[in-house]
Amino acid sequence: MSDAAQNPGARMYEEFVAVHAILRRGTRLVADAFHGLAAGRRTDTATLVEATRWLLAFTHAHHTAEDDLFWPVLNGLYPDSAAGLKNLSDDHVVLDRELHALETAVDDLDRAHAAGAPTDGPARLGAEVARRVQDVLSGHLTAEEAIVQELFPGVPGDDIARLREAFIQGSPRFGLHFMFGLLEDPEPARGRDLLTENFPPQLRDAGPQLLGRYEDSVRALGLRQGTESGSPVTSVTSDPS
């Protein structure tokens, strides 16, 4: 039997890393879509706005869960790790500034698109900010995983139930097709099976339809997923309409 099966804390860490895989791939997808739009590639702007707003909401929900639930639980169990956990919480302040800039950029893009105005300027700004978000978030997640990897396995079962609640109740539901698609992405995501199991039965049953919607969204963004772990999302020439 694996450590994850024997120890709920170890399994919880796998779920934690799976969420990080979603964040990493989601920020890359949004950044590549903004860059494609700025470069004149055919991109469905409404889909880009939807995907970006989903990513912003999902990231904020994850940070709120960590600051309000994860770190207090781990601080109580491991007071010697308090300094490292505070650094992670402080990182959220820096990252939130970049997320706010991305929110402003996507709002500008949405307004320009709705008014039939040129979107070149908002697209270029969005591309710059989205890449910054990708870089800052990637560094933060790497540091975070190194700190908490040794902590989660010792978290008691009752506290695991509290931590898991943040994943089940704290994540926004309006982007479920992106969630399913990113979980099924070629980039391995440890814990994807258990995360999927945590969705209500009707959503698990709708998995194929949600994956289909995700694939449609990626095509609308003028993108396709890379076939190797860590490879960038690259452009395609299919009509997004």
Side-chain angles (χ1 to χ4, degrees):
M1 183 178 294
S2 68
D3 289 343
Q6 292 176 324
N7 188 318
R11 187 53 171 160
M12 183 66 191
Y13 179 71
E14 292 185 349
E15 296 179 46
F16 188 73
V17 173
V19 171
H20 284 191
I22 293 169
L23 290 169
R24 284 189 173 98
R25 182 54 65 98
T27 53
R28 186 195 309 173
L29 183 149
V30 165
D32 286 353
F34 263 111
H35 274 271
L37 181 62
R41 187 172 67 221
R42 185 167 182 152
T43 304
D44 185 79
T45 304
T47 300
L48 177 54
V49 169
E50 178 192 12
T52 304
R53 286 179 173 159
W54 170 81
L55 179 68
L56 288 165
F58 186 79
T59 306
H60 281 303
H62 181 58
H63 286 177
T64 299
E66 289 180 337
D67 290 336
D68 294 350
L69 187 60
F70 285 23
W71 306 152
V73 169
L74 294 177
N75 258 323
L77 292 169
Y78 306 106
D80 290 344
S81 299
L85 295 172
K86 183 181 183 304
N87 287 339
L88 295 178
S89 186
D90 290 345
D91 282 350
H92 288 174
V93 177
V94 177
L95 181 56
D96 281 346
R97 286 200 294 267
E98 300 295 353
L99 292 172
H100 178 70
L102 181 58
E103 184 175 15
T104 299
V106 77
D107 286 347
D108 289 346
L109 176 65
D110 193 24
R111 280 193 293 268
H113 177 66
T119 59
D120 299 7
R124 285 194 297 270
L125 176 62
E128 177 184 339
V129 175
R131 195 65 77 194
R132 267 201 327 264
V133 168
Q134 183 186 12
D135 291 343
V136 172
L137 182 63
S138 178
H140 169 68
L141 296 180
T142 299
E144 188 171 88
E145 288 165 4
I147 291 175
V148 303
Q149 184 174 16
E150 301 302 321
L151 304 185
F152 265 123
V155 179
D158 289 346
D159 286 326
I160 288 298
R162 293 173 56 205
L163 294 174
R164 185 170 285 113
E165 187 73 8
F167 283 144
I168 309 311
Q169 301 297 334
S171 299
R173 294 292 185 183
F174 59 86
L176 278 173
H177 67 292
F178 279 102
M179 171 76 82
F180 267 83
L182 292 167
L183 282 172
E184 293 297 324
D185 195 88
E187 182 174 345
R190 288 184 296 166
R192 67 159 67 96
D193 292 340
L194 206 151
L195 272 175
T196 303
E197 290 168 11
N198 283 333
F199 286 118
Q202 65 271 25
L203 294 178
R204 295 200 303 268
D205 294 342
Q209 291 86 352
L210 292 168
L211 284 170
R213 287 183 59 203
Y214 169 76
E215 292 164 359
D216 289 343
S217 294
V218 171
R219 283 193 293 271
L221 294 173
L223 304 172
R224 65 175 174 83
Q225 295 295 345
T227 57
E228 297 178 2
S229 176
S231 62
V233 180
T234 54
S235 65
V236 294
T237 57
S238 60
D239 187 337
S241 61

